[in-house]
Amino acid sequence: YVLATWALIVVGFVICTVLIYRIKQGIDETNRHVKNGHKNPMRADIDRRLALQTAGSMVPFVIIANATRRVVGATGYMNIDAENKRLEIGHTWYAASAQRSGINTETKRLLLAHAFEELDCIAVEFRTHRLNVQSRRAIERLGAQLDGILRSHQRAGDGSLRDTAVYSITAAEWPTIRTHLAWQLARP
């Protein structure tokens, strides 16, 4: 795991599955992404992440707030393209108590640093629903640039078509963005 000021990111999702499930039952979470009326969307989310990890298409992370040592979210590396040294950070969710707290900024700073400085990525993507203004603003606060909108990109759980906003940060931009994120986290 990686210890940081705001958040502890636990690598090794499998080890934490039961703990996450039990803690998440009590999290004050506005879950707008319940699919097909699933009776236990948190269990379904964990199972989906573990299946993607097993398939080699996701490296899931758990986000634990340092102050409380409670799970406050999850995220992951996805769409990993080792040949072209690109990946996406996504499938991120936070408990309402962690939103707009600095935890997202610190978590993304750690994931971006690892992607650019350890994995030598040339670019890191972020994707969200075109209409998800809160997520789009959070991605923009990180310094990511809008690459474009994928129109009618996917079907949502209710069958409607989803447009996807695609953002990225490039390796050339990373030093400036790293400095900016450090400044954001140091502000009182």
Side-chain angles (χ1 to χ4, degrees):
Y1 59 84
V2 178
L3 187 60
T5 306
W6 284 94
L8 175 69
I9 301 175
V10 178
V11 183
F13 205 73
V14 176
I15 298 168
C16 302
T17 303
V18 174
L19 173 66
I20 296 162
Y21 176 64
R22 288 184 185 148
I23 292 174
K24 284 183 70 171
Q25 288 178 348
I27 289 178
D28 174 24
E29 176 62 27
T30 55
N31 192 342
R32 292 169 291 168
H33 305 290
V34 175
K35 293 186 179 182
N36 304 322
H38 195 283
K39 289 183 181 180
N40 192 332
M42 294 302 150
R43 179 79 248 169
D45 180 58
I46 292 167
D47 290 344
R48 180 184 55 77
R49 289 171 190 266
L50 293 173
L52 290 169
Q53 180 184 36
T54 300
S57 61
M58 182 180 206
V59 178
F61 300 94
V62 176
I63 305 159
I64 300 173
N66 279 342
T68 63
R69 294 289 188 233
R70 296 198 60 192
V71 173
V72 294
T75 192
Y77 286 151
M78 340 167 346
N79 297 320
I80 300 163
D81 182 349
E83 182 178 338
N84 292 300
K85 296 191 172 218
R86 298 181 64 96
L87 58 80
E88 176 186 347
I89 296 174
H91 286 288
T92 302
W93 65 262
Y94 288 99
S97 62
Q99 294 172 11
R100 303 283 297 171
S101 68
I103 289 175
N104 182 56
T105 303
E106 178 68 4
T107 300
K108 295 303 191 299
R109 185 189 66 80
L110 290 167
L111 291 170
L112 287 164
H114 184 72
F116 288 118
E117 297 166 16
E118 303 298 324
L119 302 177
D120 198 30
C121 286
I122 61 170
V124 174
E125 283 186 11
F126 300 89
R127 295 179 178 215
T128 191
H129 192 297
R130 178 181 63 85
L131 299 177
N132 188 339
V133 176
Q134 183 178 358
S135 289
R136 290 186 68 178
R137 296 302 163 255
I139 292 167
E140 290 165 2
R141 278 193 303 274
L142 296 172
Q145 298 295 310
L146 179 65
D147 293 332
I149 305 292
L150 300 176
R151 297 174 26 200
S152 296
H153 178 234
Q154 296 175 313
R155 290 229 177 253
D158 65 0
S160 64
L161 290 173
R162 165 192 155 137
D163 292 344
T164 300
V166 181
Y167 292 81
S168 69
I169 296 172
T170 67
E173 297 164 337
W174 172 237
T176 302
I177 289 174
R178 180 182 52 221
T179 300
H180 174 70
L181 294 176
W183 175 81
Q184 281 185 320
L185 291 166
R187 289 187 308 179

